[in-house]
Amino acid sequence: MTDWTTRPETAADTAAVRDVNLAAFPTPAEADLVDALRADPTAWIDGLSLLATAPDGTVTGHALLTRCHIGDRPALALAPCAVLPAAQRTGAGSAAVRAALDAARARGEHLVVVLGHPAYYPRFGFTPASRFGIRAPFEVPDEAMMALPLDDARPVPAGTIRYAAAFGAF
């Protein structure tokens, strides 16, 4: 295990974030998605693209939260999350996700949804979105579509997730 440092992405990190996503996935779709979301002012939220860096400063992990909606209520979508293959299963991804969720809480955000592996995301508190009446806009296994309320004092909106337009292109 490495002691990962986390920080928000800066303009100087764009190429490194792309490299992490290209290395982590079998196609460039996720890297292209990050670039498209970064270019969309209705989706991108400064400070919610978080990096895990190695002790030497190498960008090793990435977690991105962008604006989505549940019905007409604002929420966040966690996607993609990526780690360089050599650093997978070392805590880099978890560090980036936790930093992203902490940053969202600090901004007063209320809810995060993720379509992901049902054995991975519950460690952060995610549970099936269907428990809140939240649905994906496409067919997906119930256990893979998850939600995490960030503020228990506020009611969780129900409805269909409306992702940023960039998600429809991939």
Side-chain angles (χ1 to χ4, degrees), residues 125-163:
F126 284 94
T127 58
S130 62
R131 293 182 186 173
F132 303 102
I134 298 170
R135 300 174 301 286
F138 42 78
E139 287 296 317
V140 61
D142 185 61
E143 65 276 7
M145 185 82 256
M146 293 169 269
L148 174 64
L150 299 176
D151 178 357
D152 292 335
R154 294 165 55 189
V156 175
T160 301
I161 302 165
R162 188 167 34 93
Y163 289 99

Side-chain angles (χ1 to χ4, degrees), residues 15-26:
V17 168
R18 183 167 179 81
D19 289 345
V20 167
N21 280 277
L22 286 171
F25 296 102

Side-chain angles (χ1 to χ4, degrees), residues 115-126:
L115 174 59
H117 200 286
Y120 182 73
Y121 290 97
R123 73 181 70 185
F124 306 106
F126 284 94

Side-chain angles (χ1 to χ4, degrees), residues 76-123:
L76 297 172
L78 174 58
C81 297
V83 176
L84 291 174
Q88 290 176 0
R89 302 193 192 303
T90 65
S94 291
V97 170
R98 283 190 181 92
L101 295 173
D102 288 347
R105 278 187 195 92
R107 291 179 53 85
E109 293 289 343
H110 173 46
L111 179 69
V112 178
V113 294
V114 65
L115 174 59
H117 200 286
Y120 182 73
Y121 290 97
R123 73 181 70 185

Side-chain angles (χ1 to χ4, degrees), residues 40 45-46 86 123 129-130:
D40 180 351
I45 303 169
D46 285 335
R123 73 181 70 185
S130 62

